Amino acid sequence: MTSRMLRTALLGMLLCVQALPLDAQDVPVRYRVAACDWMMLKRQKLGAFALAKEIGADGVELDMGPLGKRVLFENKLRDEAQASKFKHVADSLGIEVPSIAMSGFFAQNFMSRDNYRDLVSDGLETARRFGSKVIFLPLGGSGHEWKQKGAPRDTLVSRLRVAGTMAQAQGVTIGIRTQLPAKETLRLLKDIGSPAVKVYYNFQDAADNHRCIVKELKQLGRDRIIQIHASNTDSVNLREDPEIDLPKIKKTLDEMGWNGWLVVERSRDANRVRDVRYNFGRNVAYLKEVFGIP
């Protein structure tokens, strides 16, 4: 082959690569969409992965199981054989597990659990088994006293520092849902001072309190938001929700340079609350449409 023929062949190969779709060129995908297993009525059930595949989601946020008055979460994934089975099914369907949720703390107080280190360790071990890099920790069950200066806040900050140290050692980030305005959340993160404790942002918190989602995202900044629950309280699906301007939110996240997982938690049609395929399917489809996710 002459040098001229070689140059022509190489040029042809380059043009073919440029003509390929982005995903075929190994270009990183900026946004991906997952769904919460417990809100799909599939908490720690193998069927969550098949359902995620059916509705077009890229991943499932796995919950640790209920807590209540138990010492530990009712976590079947603590058993290595069970976890391996779940991981095998997820991998076979091409479904990722971007995060592990401690939803039990929606109702339980993180500050009053003497064994909080054991609970965090349980979450970290589960995350390790699925290659998850985020643990979702809601603070809804911890009351309101910690939101002002005082002993309860000091206790919470101290515990989150410990949890952050534990997570950092494993290369995991704890995403806290504070429900606070962005400025107050920033103060809390500053008090904690851990690079492994960030914000798990939720559209609903801003919408419920008539705060501007776009403004809060900008205030929090790209590097403080580890993951996003991209949904609102149950009423209508995202496509029909006047409180969630998804195209504007997408434009803002683009400008911020943020990338990561958008996780559907709620936004169920109030007239069809238990119709999982309808609600989650429509919400996932709309997120992918707006964010340009294949």
Side-chain angles (χ1 to χ4, degrees):
M1 180 181 290
T2 67
S3 59
R4 182 176 180 180
M5 292 171 64
L6 181 60
R7 286 197 300 272
T8 301
L10 289 173
L11 179 59
M13 290 171 63
L14 178 61
L15 290 173
C16 286
V17 169
Q18 290 177 336
L20 290 172
L22 288 179
D23 57 347
Q25 297 183 42
D26 293 327
V27 176
V29 178
R30 184 166 191 169
Y31 304 107
R32 305 193 74 190
V33 178
C36 301
D37 70 344
W38 72 96
M39 294 304 296
M40 292 196 297
L41 311 180
K42 294 287 185 182
R43 175 185 273 165
Q44 293 206 351
K45 293 182 179 179
L46 281 171
F49 301 118
L51 179 56
K53 186 77 172 180
E54 182 181 339
I55 64 175
D58 307 303
V60 171
E61 182 170 270
L62 284 181
D63 188 47
M64 292 286 290
L67 185 54
K69 296 181 180 180
R70 301 169 183 83
V71 176
L72 295 173
F73 294 103
E74 192 177 304
N75 178 21
K76 68 172 64 174
L77 302 175
R78 195 178 300 120
D79 179 82
E80 190 168 354
Q82 282 280 19
S84 295
K85 184 187 298 184
F86 272 64
K87 183 74 164 58
H88 173 74
V89 171
D91 290 346
S92 68
L93 293 170
I95 299 296
E96 294 187 39
V97 180
S99 46
I100 301 297
M102 294 175 143
S103 75
F105 283 110
F106 273 119
Q108 298 299 310
N109 193 328
F110 185 70
M111 296 182 295
S112 65
R113 289 276 174 166
D114 293 336
N115 68 330
Y116 77 96
R117 290 181 180 85
D118 295 332
L119 295 168
V120 172
S121 292
D122 196 11
L124 289 171
E125 178 59 19
T126 305
R128 183 191 65 78
R129 288 175 171 171
F130 288 91
S132 308
K133 294 302 180 183
V134 177
I135 289 180
F136 169 52
L137 174 59
L139 300 177
S142 297
H144 299 283
E145 291 184 347
W146 63 268
K147 296 178 181 179
Q148 292 83 38
K149 289 184 178 179
R153 184 182 180 90
D154 293 343
T155 297
L156 179 67
V157 167
S158 175
R159 290 186 170 209
L160 288 174
R161 281 177 185 162
V162 171
T165 299
M166 294 168 66
Q168 188 174 7
Q170 193 170 302
V172 171
T173 300
I174 294 177
I176 56 174
R177 179 181 176 183
T178 70
Q179 298 180 300
L180 294 170
K183 287 185 177 180
E184 294 179 32
T185 296
L186 288 174
R187 280 196 287 270
L188 178 62
L189 290 180
K190 185 177 180 180
D191 289 345
I192 298 166
S194 171
V197 178
K198 297 187 179 184
V199 177
Y200 199 127
Y201 191 75
N202 192 306
F203 293 165
Q204 180 185 339
D205 293 335
D208 283 350
N209 294 282
H210 310 290
R211 303 194 302 258
C212 177
I213 295 172
V214 164
K215 183 178 179 180
E216 288 208 322
L217 291 172
K218 291 178 179 178
Q219 287 176 319
L220 290 169
R222 178 188 65 192
D223 297 332
R224 297 186 189 92
I225 301 170
I226 190 60
Q227 211 153 274
I228 295 174
H229 272 145
S231 53
N232 198 1
T233 190
D234 292 334
S235 175
V236 294
N237 294 153
L238 283 170
R239 188 180 294 273
E240 291 79 33
D241 195 336
E243 295 183 315
I244 309 295
D245 188 340
L246 210 56
K248 192 172 182 180
I249 289 169
K250 192 262 184 184
K251 182 175 183 292
T252 300
L253 292 173
D254 283 350
E255 292 171 350
M256 289 168 56
W258 188 86
N259 64 85
W261 286 85
L262 306 164
V263 184
V264 180
E265 183 188 20
R266 304 183 70 89
S267 284
R268 298 176 296 185
D269 186 324
N271 296 314
R272 303 177 65 170
V273 172
R274 297 187 69 83
D275 192 339
V276 173
R277 286 171 176 78
Y278 175 81
N279 289 305
F280 282 84
R282 293 191 80 234
N283 287 330
V284 167
Y286 187 53
L287 280 166
K288 287 199 162 189
E289 175 186 321
V290 172
F291 280 82
I293 304 170

